[in-house]
């Protein structure tokens, strides 16, 4: 496990983008696992900048972690729309090379099985992660048991409150989502987890310094052989050596 701490999210985004660029340049058919949310925006801004300065992404495939259940793809807060807005419409990744769960599928169980097959056919070279204030990765919420395969999850009240800032009110936040399971995440060859802000400091510390435990899902990353935590000073503030 590597820990990299930066002064600003922009600096962290530059570093994370350099890691992604390595994978793109060194892999014939790179497969990137992508996340959504405000934390990863600095990374996507830097990937767009790299593309505008010559980085070819036409051979890249992307597999997103999750999507809300019940939001159409064109909804302003859907993760389909997030990815279009912050990355896909600015780079040359072919549309048919990008996969996001269909939260409006008529049969959600079948959609989960379809998505597991996508990941099986296209193993992840790198998985980008954020982390919830409760330690979730993807939408794998704290629980007695972490599910290995793609599944429908009921979002915790903590996650709903955290995501309410993106909606007009908390009542508008979907209560369920489709998410990759922890098995697919751990099978990625490399993992980069990004976290910024004091509100993430406790989850980061428990994930890195605590025991592996299902009520802190990100702690399972301790079992992976190639993980980099990309942090700012606030999110690292409870780590030993960084203020903790």
């Amino acid at each position: 496990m590597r820990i990299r701490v930066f002064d600003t999210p922009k600096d962290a985004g530059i570093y994370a983008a350099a890691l992604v660029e390595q994978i793109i340049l060194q892999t014939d058919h790179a497969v990137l696992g992508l996340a959504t949310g405000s934390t990863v925006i600095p990374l996507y801004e830097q990937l767009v900048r790299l593309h505008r300065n010559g980085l070819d992404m036409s051979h890249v495939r992307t597999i997103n972690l999750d999507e809300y259940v019940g939001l159409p793809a064109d909804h302003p807060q859907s993760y389909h729309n997030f990815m279009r807005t912050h990355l896909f419409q600015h780079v040359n990744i072919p549309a048919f090379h990008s996969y996001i769960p269909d939260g409006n599928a008529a049969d959600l169980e079948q959609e989960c099985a379809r998505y597991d097959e996508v990941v099986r056919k296209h193993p992840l070279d790198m998985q980008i992660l954020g982390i919830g204030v409760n330690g979730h990765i993807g939408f794998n919420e704290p629980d007695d048991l972490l599910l290995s395969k793609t599944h429908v999850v009921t979002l915790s009240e903590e996650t709903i409150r955290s995501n309410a800032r993106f909606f007009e009110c908390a009542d508008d936040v979907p209560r369920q989502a489709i998410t990759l399971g922890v098995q697919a995440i751990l099978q990625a060859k490399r993992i980069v987890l990004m976290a910024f802000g004091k509100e993430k400091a406790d989850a980061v510390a428990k994930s890195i310094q605590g025991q592996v435990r299902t009520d802190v899902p990100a702690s399972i990353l301790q079992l992976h052989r190639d993980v980099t935590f990309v942090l700012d000073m606030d999110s690292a503030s409870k780590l030993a050596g960084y203020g903790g």
Side-chain angles (χ1 to χ4, degrees), residues 3-241:
I3 301 170
R4 301 290 181 265
V5 181
F6 297 87
D7 289 335
T8 67
K10 180 179 179 180
D11 291 339
I14 292 170
Y15 175 76
L19 297 180
V20 174
E21 182 183 32
Q22 275 187 334
I23 297 295
I24 292 173
L25 294 178
Q26 294 173 2
T27 311
D28 289 339
H29 302 286
V31 182
L32 304 176
L34 299 183
T36 53
S38 57
T39 298
V40 294
I41 290 176
L43 164 61
Y44 295 154
E45 288 175 343
Q46 295 306 318
L47 287 177
V48 170
R49 183 182 64 84
L50 287 171
H51 171 66
R52 289 173 176 165
N53 286 277
L55 177 62
D56 179 22
M57 303 177 73
S58 62
H59 63 295
V60 172
R61 291 183 187 272
T62 65
I63 299 176
N64 263 74
L65 277 168
D66 42 32
E67 177 59 285
Y68 288 118
V69 168
L71 289 191
D74 60 355
H75 188 282
Q77 298 307 328
S78 77
Y79 291 157
H80 283 75
N81 187 64
F82 179 97
M83 294 306 305
R84 280 194 302 270
T85 299
H86 294 288
L87 184 65
F88 292 155
Q89 69 182 5
H90 307 291
V91 298
N92 66 333
I93 300 173
F96 61 89
H97 278 184
S98 295
Y99 303 92
I100 303 177
D102 181 2
N104 262 343
D107 187 329
L108 293 176
E109 186 174 337
Q110 187 177 56
E111 173 62 9
C112 291
R114 181 193 72 83
Y115 214 65
D116 280 332
E117 182 63 14
V118 168
V119 178
R120 188 193 68 79
K121 289 175 62 177
H122 306 293
L124 297 168
D125 294 297
M126 176 177 281
Q127 176 67 62
I128 304 297
L129 297 172
I131 185 172
V133 293
N134 61 3
H136 74 229
I137 48 175
F139 273 129
N140 291 284
E141 298 278 26
D143 205 341
D144 293 334
L145 178 69
L146 297 179
L147 299 180
S148 61
K149 294 187 176 182
T150 302
H151 57 282
V152 176
V153 62
T154 297
L155 303 183
S156 71
E157 287 303 316
E158 197 167 16
T159 297
I160 290 168
R161 286 195 300 271
S162 179
N163 288 1
R165 67 189 188 277
F166 301 116
F167 294 81
E168 288 190 11
C169 66
D171 288 343
D172 292 339
V173 182
R175 265 45 186 175
Q176 291 186 308
I178 296 177
T179 185
L180 278 185
V182 294
Q183 181 180 32
I185 293 171
L186 290 177
Q187 285 179 340
K189 294 175 185 174
R190 298 184 68 183
I191 295 174
V192 175
L193 185 146
M194 304 177 69
F196 309 130
K198 286 189 178 298
E199 69 276 9
K200 299 293 180 72
D202 189 54
V204 167
K206 288 178 179 178
S207 299
I208 294 174
Q209 297 177 162
Q211 296 180 335
V212 175
R213 43 195 272 198
T214 60
D215 63 342
V216 184
S219 67
I220 202 169
L221 299 181
Q222 294 178 34
L223 304 178
H224 196 275
R225 66 186 181 280
D226 192 342
V227 179
T228 303
F229 278 74
V230 179
L231 312 171
D232 67 355
M233 290 301 296
D234 284 339
S235 62
S237 60
K238 293 189 177 182
L239 293 176

